[in-house]
């Protein structure tokens, strides 16, 4: 048995005006790909000959440049052209990649693959639960298995499951045609956390459906709300064991679609939700530490630029009540370059803010260069250095300035930047919901309703391309 494996992962935010280029991806090729994928152990356990292609992953950001998609697609297709004697293809994709002049990057790649190998060779995908799947996506793939955690911590487990399902299908010579249904609803990620209702019950429902004979995968895709396309909406994707169970898969798809849609009004924020100034006041009044404030409108894990200076402007001249506060991190390449030209310990006067919009107005700061460090990657690249940071200390306020947009989602992100999370009472992060390591130490999570490319009040966003009518913009 011979299977091609690979990963091309990007969650696109079409409200971010900065396009995503090749350089924004972490890329490994050849045998190094096997080390990055949990599917590798499953395939080796089953005696599969693995043909690794590419592993390319990037932080959520703006629309992917056409030439960037072409660069990665051509790398994958070149491996495919040399190995047409394969029995299957296994890929880890996101589901919400948008490419200039093309649209859905995942759909485009699948179409190119099918044009090369036809429809007899099975394709199995691991997908993010925040995928925006095209209406005809299911026609080009056989097996899909999505993450079952938000925040995401189960990618390795899901990779192993989708890999084993592919092996089983090949061994059984199963012909699989999945069922799909789009739902007229958009749910921002911060209203759909796995530990809270109704997503908790929906995920339990998926497990229940997968226990039915003939159903090997039942998936609910929440959607990626800050992706203004014809595919932006929740969806249901059900995979039968074989052609024999296609009718059952259709029935399960309808059942699951009705179950989810009937609970659409139950999706609510699970953190303390406050306007920006109220968020700061409550954080400073909280006696325990650390308190995390999510700058939710500039959430770089969902594709915002990470350049907003709104909370910095509010904090810099404020009485911090002897509290130690950290902002992590503001993306400003010019400010970083100026800071990086100094030595740690130097007194520095600088303006921070790219002035690309009304949310990134430059803020004048004067303080001590406290640290220089590394900027780590996102999700599948949290041990990869993707940029650099400088930390400026202004009294009790520390501000990390980075030379690219990213988010501090693990404790090691702070450590590698040269700061200790234990030193701070209040920590501002460019996130929505807190990622697991931060949530575990947080005494209070505050979701600040800041404006920006990931504005949480989606009913106020001026979408142009989403299907209508749709909830919550069109309540009926």
């Amino acid at each position: 048995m011979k299977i091609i494996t690979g990963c091309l992962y990007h969650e696109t935010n079409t409200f971010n005006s900065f396009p995503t280029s090749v350089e924004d991806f972490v890329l490994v090729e050849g045998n190094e790909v096997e080390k990055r994928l949990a599917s590798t152990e499953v395939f080796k356990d089953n005696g599969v000959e693995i043909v690794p292609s590419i592993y390319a992953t990037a932080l959520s950001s703006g629309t992917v440049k056409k030439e960037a998609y072409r660069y990665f697609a051509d790398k994958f297709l070149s491996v495919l052209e040399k190995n047409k004697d394969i029995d299957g293809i296994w890929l880890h994709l996101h589901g919400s990649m948008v490419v200039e002049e093309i649209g859905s990057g995942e759909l485009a790649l699948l179409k190119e693959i099918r044009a090369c190998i036809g429809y007899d060779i099975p394709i199995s995908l691991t997908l993010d639960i925040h995928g925006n799947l095209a209406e005809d996506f299911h026609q080009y793939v056989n097996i899909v298995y999505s993450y079952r955690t938000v925040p995401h911590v189960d990618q390795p487990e899901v990779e192993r499951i989708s890999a084993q399902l592919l092996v089983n299908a090949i061994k059984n010579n199963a012909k699989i045609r999945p069922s799909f249904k789009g739902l007229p609803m958009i749910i921002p990620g911060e209203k759909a956390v796995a530990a809270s209702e109704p997503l908790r019950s929906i995920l339990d429902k998926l497990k229940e459906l997968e226990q039915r004979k003939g159903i090997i995968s039942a998936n609910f895709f929440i959607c990626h709300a800050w992706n203004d396309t014809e595919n932006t909406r929740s969806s249901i994707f059900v995979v039968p064991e074989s052609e024999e169970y296609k009718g059952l898969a259709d029935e399960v798809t309808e059942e699951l679609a009705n179950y989810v849609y009937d609970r659409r009004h139950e999706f609510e924020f699970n953190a303390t939700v406050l306007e920006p100034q109220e968020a700061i006041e409550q954080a400073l009044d909280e006696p325990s530490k650390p308190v995390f404030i999510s700058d939710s409108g500039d959430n770089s894990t969902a594709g915002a630029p990470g350049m907003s200076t709104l909370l910095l402007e509010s904090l810099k001249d404020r009485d911090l009540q002897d509290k130690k506060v950290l902002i992590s991190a503001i993306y400003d390449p010019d400010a970083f370059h100026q800071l990086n030209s100094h030595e740690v310990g130097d007194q520095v006067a600088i303006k921070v803010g790219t002035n690309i919009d009304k949310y990134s107005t430059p803020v004048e700061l004067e303080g001590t260069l406290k640290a220089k460090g590394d900027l780590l990657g996102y999700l599948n690249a949290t041990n990869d250095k993707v940029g650099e940071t400088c930390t400026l200390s202004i009294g009790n306020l520390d501000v990390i300035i980075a030379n690219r947009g990213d988010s501090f989602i693990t404790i090691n992100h702070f450590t590698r930047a040269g700061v200790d999370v234990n030193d701070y009472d209040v920590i501002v992060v460019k996130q929505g919901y807190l990622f697991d390591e931060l949530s575990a130490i947080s005494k209070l999570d505050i979701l600040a309703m800041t404006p920006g490319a990931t504005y949480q009040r989606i009913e106020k966003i001026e979408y142009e391309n989403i299907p209508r009518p749709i909830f919550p913009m069109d309540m009926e």
Side-chain angles (χ1 to χ4, degrees):
M1 191 183 299
K2 185 176 180 180
I3 294 175
I4 289 181
T5 65
C7 172
L8 179 55
Y9 186 95
H10 186 262
E11 179 183 58
T12 301
N13 184 318
T14 59
F15 298 102
N16 181 338
S17 59
F18 293 93
T20 302
S21 63
V22 170
E23 294 73 26
D24 294 313
F25 285 79
V26 172
L27 171 67
V28 298
E29 300 179 74
N31 292 333
E32 285 297 312
V33 173
E34 294 185 32
K35 300 176 183 177
R36 299 264 179 156
L37 299 172
S39 59
T40 298
E41 62 186 272
V42 173
F43 292 136
K44 287 186 174 180
D45 287 346
N46 283 275
V48 172
E49 178 187 349
I50 300 172
V51 181
S53 58
I54 63 169
Y55 184 99
T57 181
L59 179 73
S60 301
S61 49
T63 302
V64 176
K65 290 182 177 179
K66 185 178 181 180
E67 56 265 34
Y69 165 78
R70 191 73 267 145
Y71 177 80
F72 296 117
D74 285 346
K75 281 185 173 293
F76 177 83
L77 292 169
S78 67
V79 175
L80 184 58
E81 286 285 353
K82 297 172 184 175
N83 295 275
K84 289 189 176 181
D85 59 336
I86 54 171
D87 297 290
I89 295 175
W90 180 95
L91 292 170
H92 189 160
L93 307 177
H94 184 280
S96 294
M97 177 190 290
V98 180
V99 181
E100 292 173 341
E101 301 177 24
I102 291 178
S104 169
E106 292 89 356
L107 180 63
L109 181 62
L110 289 172
K111 286 182 175 181
E112 292 195 64
I113 291 172
R114 287 304 186 196
C116 181
I117 63 170
Y119 287 80
D120 292 333
I121 295 173
I123 298 175
S124 179
L125 304 180
T126 287
L127 291 178
D128 194 300
I129 196 173
H130 295 111
N132 291 333
L133 303 191
E135 194 68 33
D136 55 343
F137 186 89
H138 66 291
Q139 297 176 14
Y140 300 91
V141 65
N142 305 96
I143 298 167
V144 157
Y145 209 89
S146 63
Y147 307 163
R148 306 302 163 94
T149 58
V150 183
H152 311 317
V153 295
D154 65 339
Q155 293 97 328
E157 177 186 354
V158 173
E159 288 185 351
R160 287 190 285 268
I161 292 171
S162 61
Q164 188 61 57
L165 291 176
L166 177 59
V167 170
N168 295 346
I170 295 171
K171 286 182 176 179
N172 297 327
N173 196 28
K175 303 300 181 184
I176 297 175
R177 289 190 300 124
S179 297
F180 175 83
K181 186 178 182 66
L183 297 176
M185 53 189 271
I186 297 178
I187 305 297
E190 282 60 42
K191 285 189 173 183
V193 177
S196 301
E197 294 294 351
L199 186 56
R200 179 169 57 190
S201 292
I202 291 171
L203 294 174
D204 287 341
K205 180 72 170 178
L206 302 184
K207 294 178 184 177
E208 172 198 321
L209 294 172
E210 289 170 352
Q211 296 303 309
R212 297 187 186 179
K213 180 176 175 56
I215 301 299
I216 61 173
S217 173
N219 306 272
F220 164 52
F221 290 95
I222 299 165
C223 88
H224 176 48
W226 300 282
N227 180 307
D228 184 12
T229 74
E230 62 184 2
N231 305 317
T232 304
R233 41 90 176 101
S234 303
S235 62
I236 303 299
F237 198 110
V238 177
V239 182
E241 183 179 344
S242 65
E243 183 72 18
E244 175 187 354
Y245 297 102
K246 178 62 168 67
L248 175 61
D250 292 342
E251 294 174 8
V252 169
T253 297
E254 288 296 327
E255 178 184 342
L256 182 55
N258 291 331
Y259 180 82
V260 172
Y261 190 67
D262 286 347
R263 305 192 67 174
R264 65 193 181 279
H265 293 281
E266 298 177 35
F267 288 94
E268 293 293 344
F269 298 114
N270 76 326
T272 299
V273 178
L274 297 170
E275 294 304 312
Q277 296 305 316
E278 295 172 333
I280 291 172
E281 290 171 8
Q282 181 156 340
L284 293 175
D285 288 341
E286 175 63 31
S288 53
K289 60 180 264 194
V291 175
F292 282 88
I293 300 177
S294 291
D295 186 356
S296 67
D298 196 30
N299 173 11
S300 53
T301 72
M307 292 180 169
S308 175
T309 56
L310 288 177
L311 293 181
L312 171 61
E313 178 70 43
S314 297
L315 284 163
K316 80 176 187 78
D317 294 322
R318 192 184 188 96
D319 179 6
L320 300 180
Q321 305 174 23
D322 294 323
K323 298 289 181 73
K324 192 73 173 170
V325 178
L326 174 68
I327 296 178
S328 56
I330 296 176
Y331 171 32
D332 185 337
D334 291 338
F336 169 83
H337 180 73
Q338 293 179 53
L339 286 170
N340 200 43
S341 67
H342 290 271
E343 299 296 326
V344 172
D346 287 354
Q347 288 293 116
V348 184
I350 194 172
K351 286 185 178 180
V352 175
T354 57
N355 209 25
I356 62 160
D357 56 28
K358 58 185 177 181
Y359 312 128
S360 57
T361 303
V363 178
E364 293 186 1
L365 301 175
E366 185 171 351
T368 304
L369 181 57
K370 179 176 182 175
K372 294 182 179 183
D374 298 333
L375 184 68
L376 300 183
Y378 177 61
L379 281 186
N380 306 305
T382 53
N383 292 318
D384 292 290
K385 177 181 176 180
V386 298
E388 297 176 290
T389 64
C390 286
T391 302
L392 188 65
S393 186
I394 310 103
N396 279 354
L397 174 64
D398 287 356
V399 184
I400 301 177
I401 311 299
N403 63 355
R404 63 173 287 171
D406 216 312
S407 186
F408 283 48
I409 63 173
T410 70
I411 301 298
N412 199 36
H413 276 75
F414 294 90
T415 303
R416 288 281 294 274
V419 298
D420 185 345
V421 291
N422 297 308
D423 292 341
Y424 300 96
D425 300 280
V426 178
I427 300 172
V428 176
V429 289
K430 301 287 187 177
Q431 289 171 37
Y433 51 72
L434 283 188
F435 281 69
D436 272 27
E437 284 191 25
L438 307 188
S439 181
I441 65 170
S442 175
K443 296 301 187 293
L444 175 64
D445 308 347
I446 300 177
L447 196 70
M449 289 286 104
T450 50
T454 51
Y455 188 35
Q456 291 291 326
R457 305 202 188 282
I458 63 169
E459 61 274 11
K460 296 183 179 181
I461 295 176
E462 296 181 1
Y463 291 99
E464 297 179 356
N465 302 301
I466 59 173
R468 303 296 288 262
I470 198 164
F471 175 86
M473 278 62 77
D474 310 299
M475 292 300 286
E476 297 301 327

